Amino acid sequence: MRETIETLSNNKELISPGISACVGCNVELTLRTVMRVLGPNTIIAIPPGCMGGVGVVGWNKKSGANVPVFFPLLDNTASMLAGIKAYYKKIGRDINVVAFAGDGASVDCGFQSLSGAAERNDNIIYICYDNEGYMNTGYQRSASTTRGAWTSTTPVSKEKVGGKKQHKKDFPMIMAMHDIPYMATASPAYIPDLVNKVKKAMEVKEGLAYIHVLNPCLTGWGIKPNESIEVSRLSVQTRFFPLYEVVNGDFKLTVDIKKPKPVEQYINKIKKFSHLSKDDIEEIQNYVDKKWNKLKMSCVEGGRNDEQ
Amino acid sequence: MMESKEKEYITSVGEGIYSINTGDWRINEPVLDQEKCKKCGLCFLYCPVFCIEKKDDYYEINYDYCKGCGICARECKSGAIKMVEKGSSSYAKN
Ligand code: SF4
Ligand code: SF4
């Protein structure tokens, strides 16, 4: 942790000090942290989504970042960056070419360009901030939304019937199965772990590095601002969102959860789940257990035990 | 035109930095009690706005852009940060 504090306090802030992310937004925290680690030798692309909307991509002739920042379409972020990287490679400059994209722009709309870049071994860093839906356009569901969740396109009746019917797409695993050199999951509640993973992604010089961050959305999911980190931490401590990495095909948990809390503790903190019945919660718990066991079987070694 | 306050943070690209005064949003604001503080740095790590600054051997809240979310107070394990009504403390300017 000391090393993380050193890194973050010594490195310059590269994002505008005043962006209009919601009060307590942990995506803002993730972006600022990631950018401090990446440093000024970086080009970023932020497709439509929360972080585009809050002003990081700029407004009029002003910029929201102190590095070149692109505002691609929702579905071409990875392919656009692949082209930029190819050019820099040609002129012999080694720079970080980075996407910071929401789940809509990665898991749904941007999937084919991302999958293509992964398959072609394009050397870019792709970071997905997963807040489980199209949050800045009014909380519509995405393929990444958790089963049972209320969204504006999966409404819930007064009788508490409704919510999303399908489970969350296991996107980190899908990216790992592309056999890219580096894939990791991360959480804003585990900053030293996130910082390590960004550093490892920067070391990849052949092929794509992918980091999937689960960012509970305060406004869209119904979470108190000061519980932003607590809820993120619970997503990990309940094994709902395991922290692991896949380096050249080898799976490893980076934070092992030996004594998981019941998923209910995570769910109870979030309004979008408030209509769920005991059975619904059990269904999610079973799914989480099944996923965890499968992941555990793939892991070559366990991570350090959760200290937080 | 870039405000001089913004210049302290980052330099401009294009015609300047787009930034809004998020310090205006605060309803409550954090107050850090240096006596109780164990200098662990958790508040620094979790402030989404990065407005807690690390000095040589202590941490200090910079109120310029603090949104008043209360995460720092919640995450501090030593109870060194309290949220108080905006303007009611002598620490917080603005
Ligand atoms: S209240 Fe929120 S924005 Fe202000 S210093 Fe604390 S964590 Fe940072
Ligand atoms: S979290 Fe609390 S104890 Fe730790 S540095 Fe901040 S104020 Fe001090």
Side-chain angles (χ1 to χ4, degrees):
Chain A
M1 189 165 112
R2 180 157 300 159
E3 202 190 313
T4 305
I5 293 174
E6 282 307 306
T7 305
L8 294 177
S9 61
N10 290 339
N11 291 4
K12 270 221 177 92
E13 180 64 53
L14 294 168
I15 300 297
S16 161
I19 58 171
S20 60
C22 301
V23 174
C25 176
N26 56 61
V27 182
E28 177 172 356
L29 171 64
T30 305
L31 175 66
R32 290 187 189 278
T33 305
V34 161
M35 286 308 295
R36 280 200 186 203
V37 181
L38 289 166
N41 190 30
T42 302
I43 287 179
I44 48 168
I46 303 184
C50 291
M51 285 304 114
V54 300
V56 183
V57 294
W59 188 252
N60 253 337
K61 290 172 186 162
K62 289 184 168 189
S63 174
N66 197 21
V67 293
V69 42
F70 286 84
F71 192 33
L73 300 175
L74 202 48
D75 49 10
N76 72 344
T77 309
S79 48
M80 186 202 72
L81 289 179
I84 291 176
K85 183 71 186 199
Y87 174 73
Y88 276 95
K89 206 162 186 181
K90 192 172 153 209
I91 62 168
R93 268 188 69 187
D94 184 17
I95 56 163
N96 308 310
V97 175
V98 183
F100 196 80
D103 52 302
S106 314
V107 172
D108 289 345
C109 315
F111 179 51
Q112 70 87 11
S113 68
L114 172 56
S115 176
E119 187 268 334
R120 288 189 308 267
N121 267 337
D122 285 322
N123 183 217
I124 60 173
I125 300 174
Y126 195 104
I127 298 169
C128 169
Y129 61 96
D130 178 4
N131 50 18
E132 299 200 340
Y134 297 82
M135 306 328 268
N136 73 321
T137 50
Y139 325 130
Q140 293 86 0
R141 94 193 266 284
S142 78
S144 212
T145 307
T146 297
R147 183 187 163 113
W150 170 91
T151 68
S152 59
T153 46
T154 56
V156 176
S157 72
K158 270 196 232 112
E159 295 76 31
K160 300 194 169 183
V161 179
K164 194 190 172 198
K165 295 201 166 57
Q166 302 81 6
H167 278 297
K168 184 180 174 73
K169 191 193 265 187
D170 188 352
F171 204 67
M173 197 56 92
I174 292 169
M175 288 311 292
M177 290 300 120
H178 281 72
D179 287 333
I180 46 178
Y182 190 72
M183 199 302 293
T185 60
S187 164
Y190 294 77
I191 296 289
D193 182 69
L194 169 67
V195 168
N196 276 340
K197 285 168 176 169
V198 175
K199 284 181 178 165
K200 284 187 187 167
M202 289 168 75
E203 282 163 18
V204 174
K205 298 296 170 201
E206 298 263 330
L208 191 138
Y210 179 81
I211 301 178
H212 194 102
V213 190
L214 183 72
N215 292 103
C217 168
L218 310 179
T219 330
W221 300 15
I223 299 168
K224 292 190 199 103
N226 65 348
E227 292 183 359
S228 180
I229 301 303
E230 217 169 299
V231 174
S232 306
R233 190 178 292 122
L234 276 170
S235 75
V236 176
Q237 289 175 332
T238 55
R239 293 182 174 169
F240 175 85
F241 189 73
L243 294 183
Y244 67 103
E245 62 183 9
V246 187
V247 185
N248 297 318
D250 289 334
F251 283 67
K252 185 188 156 194
L253 282 170
T254 55
V255 178
D256 198 357
I257 306 297
K258 298 237 158 74
K259 288 190 194 129
K261 295 182 172 162
V263 171
E264 198 172 356
Q265 281 190 24
Y266 167 65
I267 284 174
N268 282 346
K269 290 257 177 212
I270 303 165
K271 221 172 170 181
K272 72 172 178 178
F273 294 125
S274 58
H275 58 284
L276 294 190
S277 67
K278 275 255 173 282
D279 286 351
D280 295 333
I281 297 174
E282 204 180 299
E283 165 82 34
I284 298 172
Q285 179 73 60
N286 290 340
Y287 181 76
V288 165
D289 292 345
K290 213 166 99 189
K291 280 275 165 195
W292 173 272
N293 290 337
K294 269 200 188 145
L295 175 64
K296 195 82 191 189
M297 275 194 282
S298 314
C299 289
V300 283
E301 50 177 316
R304 67 177 175 83
N305 205 2
D306 178 31
E307 287 163 359
Q308 303 200 31
Chain B
M1 255 288 288
M2 192 154 77
E3 303 282 330
S4 60
K5 193 165 100 179
E6 290 158 9
K7 263 190 199 146
E8 292 168 28
Y9 295 85
I10 41 182
T11 49
S12 64
V13 174
E15 289 189 3
I17 282 294
Y18 169 79
S19 129
I20 55 166
N21 180 12
T22 53
D24 243 13
W25 295 9
R26 272 198 317 276
I27 299 171
N28 293 319
E29 57 199 3
V31 176
L32 196 162
D33 182 343
Q34 296 292 353
E35 308 248 298
K36 282 193 191 157
C37 174
K38 300 239 161 54
K39 327 288 176 212
C40 69
L42 281 177
C43 54
F44 166 80
L45 286 184
Y46 289 125
C47 169
V49 190
F50 267 83
C51 51
I52 299 188
E53 294 171 354
K54 186 180 185 297
K55 305 289 175 189
D56 281 344
D57 52 359
Y58 66 101
Y59 291 89
E60 194 176 80
I61 299 173
N62 178 332
Y63 291 93
D64 286 351
Y65 292 92
C66 165
K67 295 178 182 176
C69 65
I71 289 177
C72 51
R74 187 89 178 192
E75 293 302 321
C76 172
K77 291 189 173 121
S78 313
I81 303 181
K82 273 207 174 61
M83 297 302 290
V84 302
E85 206 179 310
K86 185 174 179 175
S88 69
S89 100
S90 52
Y91 293 88
K93 309 172 291 280
N94 269 359

